[in-house]
């Protein structure tokens, strides 16, 4: 049953969400006499739109190899093909590439020519999702801002592979074959600008070591994590969005104030083994606890401030900021206790 406390659900938009540059440039005034020039340079297998002369569309063409890339190209779309190798030859003239999408091909680590990626000095975005990679490819372009390697077979991260990627803001490794042993204390060393780290759907049993200090969004869903180490989040003081859905967390695996972290605005602990709501911070805005083993809710116990002292509730001061609470899939029976509503006065929606 869903009980709505107010007419609409406020969606959370993180103030520091990962910034992504626009990849489309509009050339409305492109001189038609130049179209033939662009067409003559365009690989026969691909499409070169006159209105977007810096882009090359070779996706969904059944290609088995990468065609020669013209020098003017910044944005290269090669997804949904049968490409197995990445060699130097197609990129000889492609010195301005900013974006390469090679998702959904058949690329293996042995099929990537040594040093070919690191030679793409201006590359900012590299997409290699849904391929046959067994380890993170190396070396990588030092200017990369986003690296997406989801849904491969990656079980190994070479030592130092990220050490020079000071501009990387997003690293997506979800749905691979990573074990705890693949994530050493220095694995993420050098990722000083990282904002989003996605290691969901792997085979982790422990929280990963040495997450970069500037990380804002940490996704660890669908692993087998049982314990949150004491003071774990003190090393990532800016973490805002934390997802630990579909793990094996129990009450004993969470320190007394494990999630009482002032930076966390959105905390997702759905589909775990919790029997009670862990202590939270007054700044938390979204809390997902559905499909656990919680039988009852005591608002006095979980309220991050005293609900008996009126002065604790400054208008914009200590009043708890929780707006969304999800508790369905537990053993809780309605109605919602009154002390929950007294404590969380900004609450807009409760799912129970």
């Amino acid at each position: 049953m869903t009980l709505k406390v107010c007419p609409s659900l406020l969606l959370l938009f993180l103030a520091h969400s990962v910034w992504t540059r626009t990849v489309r440039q509009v050339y409305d005034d492109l001189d038609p006499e130049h179209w033939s020039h662009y067409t003559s340079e365009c690989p026969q297998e691909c499409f070169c739109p006159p209105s977007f002369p810096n882009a090359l569309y070779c996706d969904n063409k059944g290609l088995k190899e990468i065609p020669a890339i013209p020098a003017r190209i910044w944005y290269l779309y090669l997804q949904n093909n049968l490409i197995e190798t990445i060699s130097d030859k197609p990129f000889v003239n492609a010195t301005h590439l900013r974006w390469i999408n090679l998702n959904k091909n058949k690329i293996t680590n042995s099929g990537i020519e040594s040093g070919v990626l690191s030679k793409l000095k201006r590359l900012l975005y590299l997409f290699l999702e849904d391929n046959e990679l067994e380890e993170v490819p190396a070396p990588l372009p030092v200017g990369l801002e986003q690296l997406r390697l989801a849904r491969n077979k990656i079980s190994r991260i070479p030592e130092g592979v990220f050490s020079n990627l000071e501009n990387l803001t997003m690293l997506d490794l979800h749905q691979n074959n990573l074990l705890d042993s693949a994530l050493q204390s220095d694995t993420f060393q050098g990722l000083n600008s990282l904002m989003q780290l996605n290691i969901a759907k792997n085979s982790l049993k422990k929280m990963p070591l040495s997450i970069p200090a500037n990380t804002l969004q940490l996704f660890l869903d669908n692993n087998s994590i049982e314990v949150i180490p004491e003071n774990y989040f003190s090393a990532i003081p800016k973490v805002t969005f934390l997802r630990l859905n579909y793990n094996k967390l129990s009450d004993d695996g969470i320190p007394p104030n494990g999630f009482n972290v002032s930076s966390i605005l959105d905390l997702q602990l759905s589909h775990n083994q919790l029997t009670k709501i862990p202590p939270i911070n007054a700044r938390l805005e979204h809390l997902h606890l559905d499909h656990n083993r919680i039988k009852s809710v005591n608002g006095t116990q979980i309220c991050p401030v005293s609900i008996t002292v009126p002065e604790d509730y400054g208008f914009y001061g200590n009043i708890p900021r929780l707006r969304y609470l999800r508790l369905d899939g537990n053993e809780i029976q309605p109605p919602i206790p009154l002390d929950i509503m007294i404590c969380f006065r900004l609450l807009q929606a409760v799912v129970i």
Side-chain angles (χ1 to χ4, degrees), residues 44-61:
Q44 185 176 2
E45 311 94 326
C46 306
F47 172 60
C48 300
S51 60
F52 192 25
N54 292 115
L56 180 61
Y57 290 89
C58 307
D59 51 310
N60 295 289
K61 302 294 184 182

Side-chain angles (χ1 to χ4, degrees), residues 185-204:
S185 59
D186 60 351
T187 295
F188 301 113
Q189 185 174 341
L191 297 179
N192 299 325
S193 300
L194 196 70
M195 296 183 187
Q196 184 183 106
L197 178 60
N198 192 340
I199 326 177
K201 294 189 177 181
N202 277 279
S203 299
L204 304 181

Side-chain angles (χ1 to χ4, degrees), residues 273-334:
Q273 300 169 13
L274 303 176
T275 63
K276 60 184 180 182
I277 298 177
I280 59 174
N281 193 271
R283 293 178 176 270
L284 186 69
E285 296 185 6
H286 282 210
L287 178 59
H288 299 246
L289 285 164
D290 55 287
H291 298 90
N292 277 275
R293 300 174 183 175
I294 301 170
K295 294 182 179 180
S296 63
V297 181
N298 186 318
T300 304
Q301 291 179 355
I302 69 170
C303 190
V305 300
S306 172
I307 62 176
T308 61
V309 183
E311 54 266 28
D312 280 352
Y313 282 80
F315 189 72
Y316 287 111
N318 295 328
I319 183 170
R321 300 181 185 178
L322 193 69
R323 289 168 166 80
Y324 178 82
L325 176 60
R326 184 170 177 183
L327 292 165
D328 55 305
N330 286 284
E331 300 176 32
I332 303 168
Q333 298 297 322

Side-chain angles (χ1 to χ4, degrees), residues 135-142 144 147 149 156-165 168 171 173 186-189 191:
E135 64 179 52
V136 175
L140 291 163
V142 296
L144 272 186
L147 177 60
L149 299 170
R156 181 174 176 270
I157 300 178
E159 184 177 355
V161 66
F162 302 128
S163 60
N164 294 321
L165 303 187
L168 198 73
L171 176 58
L173 290 163
D186 60 351
T187 295
F188 301 113
Q189 185 174 341
L191 297 179

Side-chain angles (χ1 to χ4, degrees), residues 27 71 97 109 156 213 260 317:
Y27 293 82
L97 278 172
N109 288 95
R156 181 174 176 270
N260 187 359

